[in-house]
Amino acid sequence: MSLELLGVSGLREDPAGSLALSIWYSNVRVMGPDSVPGPAVPWRKVLWERQPFPDNYVDQRFLEELRRNEGIRQYRYWAVVKEAGFVGQQLSCVAIFITLWLYMEQGLLPPETLLWTSLVCALLGYGLHQALTSQVESGCEPRTRLADLQSAAIFLSFTFGFSPVLKTLTESVSTDTVYAMSAVMLLAHLVSFPYAQPSPPGSLSLNAALFASVCLASRLPGALHTFAMLSCALMVFALWPCLLQRLRENAPSQFMGLCVVVCIGGVSGLGSQSPGGAVLLALALGCVTLLCPLLLVRLQRHKDNIQGPWDEAEIHEDLSHFLH
Amino acid sequence: MVLKIFFPQCCNRADSGLLVGRWISGHDSAVVLAVIHYPFIPGQVKQYVQQMHAHSGVELSVLGSWSLPKDGQEGMESFLRDLSTIFPQKHWLQINREIGKTGFTCQVLNRDQNGGAAQQDTKKTKKEKVEEADGEAAGDEEEQEVIFVHYEQRKVMLSQLHPIENGVPDPKTDPPSELRQMFHTVAHSQPLFFLDKYDDGPLKSTHWQSEGREASIIVELLKQASVPLCLLIGWLLSIWTWICNIRIFSLYPLRFLSSKLSTCVQLSYRTEHMRALSSPKPAAGHTHFMRKANIVVSFLVDVALGMLLISWLYRDDHISMLANTLVPAADHVAKELEELLQWLMGAPAGLKMNRALDQVLGRFFLYHIHLWISYIHLMSPFMEGILWYGGLSACLGLTFALSLLSDMVALLTFHIYCFYVYGARLYCLKIYGLSSLWRLFRGKKWNVLRQRVDSCSYDVDQLFIGTLLFTILLFLLPTTALYYLVFTLLRLVVVLFQGVLHLSVDFINSFPLFAMGLRIFRSYRLAEGVKFRVLCEEPGTALHLLMEINPLKCSAVVQTYRTPTYSCYPKDSWAALVKKLFVGELIYPWRHKTTKTD
């Protein structure tokens, strides 16, 4: 049937075909469906009317509404590297934590030293945090100093109270199991960390990190060690990201510098304990901060998203006027 | 139109006379109950029939005539036809039988509205209707087939058709089935069967008892003795009820205790049974009678078994032997438990137990066992006395002895029950806490309003403390779970033993021994239905069937006549039980149905 041939040839979009199409279209106009001269019937894209075309007929307006790669952004390499630096920073944080634990386990770092250092760092960080906050206009519910003090008191008392219990928790579990569990949990922490906005900490990431730190801390020789380790973990995983958030908002360049410092600190700390680990960490950091952005930018070229009227409808207008 | 006539077998050879019986309403059937012989005065017959109707409540009437001509009796045909005018009926049956032939012939005279009689003869009948070209029926008469169903009158009179329908049937619904009406008629026509051949009245009749009324002396004596016995039981019950209702016994702790002890529960059930027996009126209805009979028989069997137990127990000093073995047995159990706890406090089966918690729990339970052993040793001098007086309770019945045994077992293993409750509560708390904290770990929360899990943003301190607690609970889980498992197993063993005892008590209480005996020895008394056998199928005579009673199946007997007390059966299915065990809920696997509403 001549009409079906029309259907097939209409798929091409080049102008020559469309010209041919219009010629055929005009033919159809004259000839009608049964090759009989009849009235002109333009094709409409509806199925509820009987039309003299087969159901799968399309005309030259086919795929007119196709949109390709609509929301694509153009990434620039160094901007992505800057963002990826945060991920690397978090990785190095974890490495620093592990380094501290290694030192404490080998008895090279007394728990009192760690405690006092943590306290001093916490106070410094708190001061910095308050200084940065006062610059920003805080509109919604600022936490008072008293609330902060209360939180700190709760943390310290709970940890101190439970540390003898926590110490005996993994006594009967084998070392390999403990290491494996901690590794899995730290990995979960890294994967689920809210890199976009670290200030209210994500539940899973914080809990995984704390679980891993409890597992590791219970391997240490004394209850005070456990307490010191847990306080350190709290600082590194719960309080440090809040400070980073403030820094990122207010002083981006310093934030970048800090990330680099942390990365270097992580690699060197790990290196003092095991060179192989340091090498691995450096490789990982390199991959994350330099290689992955490169891949991202390069692979943008192969992106091929299509959108069209077949997508799910999104409501753009304000429907509240229906409520009245 | 088929007319069924139920004819008693005892009247097969009766002398000629009038048929007395009942037309079954709603069906084309008639039940013949008796034959009244010649000579008679029709007025006296009518009076007698009315008297019987008033006495028994069954709609008796004269159905027709029966003729079995002996040698030399002839010419009855016109006489018989004239009889139909004396007794006005809608249908009048004339049944003839000749000596030497097995079949009957029947002629049905119908009165239409004008009062004239039209005669319809029977046709030869087979199972299917056969149209005959040269039938004797003329013109517009309908064909009337007659089937004679022979039944054994005494058996049908004593039998009860199942399922039993109690109460007055609603006249608006369909009338009860033909069979049911027939059984009802025969059973309620007992006044008709009191006239036997030794009576000097004006009428002579033939029925199953016409050779002479039978009675058994034992049954009569029992019937006479039952009234004072019932009065005695009623008086004893009233005293017992008065004692039970003294105010001091309705205080809360005593009432709670008495609802838990199975001896008290058994006492209350027996009281109920006695109350059912103690009314001096005879039983109204078949069900009531069967229940009373079952209660009496099961009580007697119970007491007999109890006496047997007593005779064994008090002979040859068995009691002191039992008492002497009881205390060492309890000691032995306690020692085994101690060894078990010591094993748990070590590293049982290589499991990873938290040493500190292990020691705490183990020491706690060991102290309990020590307390218990001291208690047992304190009680040991009194043990023999307790057993001696406790054994006397078996004279009330074996069920009491078993209930007492069950209670004693419960008391002696009370410490196992306590351990089980401690372990289960601890475990349940742990599981509950773990599930809630696991949700916190993932950042979710249980929405009580919507009964689902929602996401929730927690505070840092909440997260911190939640994670700490989660870790602690998780690592202490194996220890608690092991203690819970061990004590649950022990508790289940005890529960199983108690369950066996309760089931046997329940069996003795509720099994309908009287009904089973009736089913085995007098199976016609409990009828499920009837079956028919062809007696005679000769051409020229009507079809004769013999109706035999189909007795009720044994399982149906048990189901219908079980005394509804103390049903003790598992409360949960297996899946629910396993789920409860897993979560740590306390299980009480046997449910007792109480007679009062909860």
Side-chain angles (χ1 to χ4, degrees), chain A residues 19-42:
Chain A
L19 183 61
L21 217 62
S22 59
I23 295 171
W24 282 112
Y25 191 58
S26 57
N27 277 349
V28 168
R29 260 195 229 192
V30 170
M31 286 179 59
D34 297 318
S35 307
V36 169
V41 180

Side-chain angles (χ1 to χ4, degrees), chain B residues 72-277:
Chain B
Q73 275 183 339
E74 305 238 351
M76 303 274 266
E77 299 291 326
S78 54
F79 174 57
L80 293 174
R81 204 164 311 146
D82 293 336
L83 271 178
S84 69
T85 53
I86 305 177
F87 297 99
Q89 302 292 331
K90 190 154 173 283
H91 306 277
W92 178 261
L93 301 170
Q94 266 177 247
I95 308 181
N96 298 323
R97 187 186 179 187
E98 288 167 36
I99 296 186
K101 277 198 180 172
T102 39
F104 302 169
T105 50
C106 178
Q107 290 169 340
V108 184
L109 291 171
N110 285 325
R111 264 180 217 295
D112 53 14
Q113 283 158 342
N114 295 336
Q119 176 179 340
Q120 293 162 357
D121 288 333
T122 58
K123 315 286 288 177
K124 52 179 169 185
T125 56
K126 294 201 167 110
K127 292 249 169 38
E128 296 89 30
K129 247 188 179 174
V130 171
E131 301 279 344
E132 273 205 329
D134 56 345
E136 293 175 17
D140 52 349
E141 284 176 353
E142 309 159 15
E143 293 184 4
Q144 183 95 18
E145 290 177 21
V146 175
I147 296 181
F148 282 96
V149 182
H150 293 265
Y151 67 96
E152 208 178 309
Q153 204 166 42
R154 177 167 169 270
K155 287 193 175 172
V156 173
M157 186 184 84
L158 290 174
S159 168
Q160 168 73 31
L161 198 59
H162 292 79
I164 303 172
E165 282 172 18
N166 290 324
V168 180
D170 193 0
K172 291 195 206 95
T173 58
D174 295 330
S177 72
E178 195 176 347
L179 210 56
R180 207 169 272 282
Q181 290 197 43
M182 183 247 172
F183 272 69
H184 177 88
T185 309
V186 178
H188 285 253
S189 310
Q190 294 205 352
L192 198 60
F193 305 134
F194 288 160
L195 198 67
D196 60 11
K197 72 181 185 191
Y198 300 109
D199 273 340
D200 287 329
L203 298 171
K204 300 247 174 284
S205 64
T206 305
H207 43 77
W208 70 274
Q209 235 182 63
S210 54
E211 298 296 319
R213 279 168 57 184
E214 11 173 282
S216 142
I217 293 186
I218 300 176
V219 171
E220 293 301 316
L221 278 177
L222 278 178
K223 280 191 191 161
Q224 294 300 320
S226 65
V227 172
L229 200 65
C230 287
L231 287 175
L232 180 69
I233 292 177
W235 180 74
L236 284 174
L237 263 183
S238 59
I239 293 183
W240 174 246
T241 325
W242 176 79
I243 292 177
C244 285
N245 285 342
I246 295 180
R247 288 290 286 272
I248 196 168
F249 286 138
S250 49
L251 286 179
Y252 173 66
L254 277 175
R255 213 156 29 127
F256 174 73
L257 213 63
S258 69
S259 73
K260 292 288 171 205
L261 286 176
S262 49
T263 319
C264 300
V265 176
Q266 179 67 13
L267 265 177
S268 74
Y269 278 115
R270 278 290 182 226
T271 316
E272 291 259 342
H273 290 167
M274 289 300 135
R275 196 166 289 143
L277 284 180

Side-chain angles (χ1 to χ4, degrees), chain A residues 233-245:
Chain A
L234 192 67
M235 224 190 56
V236 169
F237 293 117
L239 302 177
W240 178 242
C242 298
L243 186 60
L244 278 180
Q245 165 84 349

Side-chain angles (χ1 to χ4, degrees), chain A residues 151 154 159 172 203 207 214 234, chain B residues 352 440-441 443 463-464 467 471:
Chain A
S151 292
I154 290 178
T159 321
S172 52
S203 296
N207 285 332
V214 168
L234 192 67
Chain B
K352 315 229 178 278
L440 181 137
F441 196 91
L463 284 177
F464 181 66
T467 309
T471 323

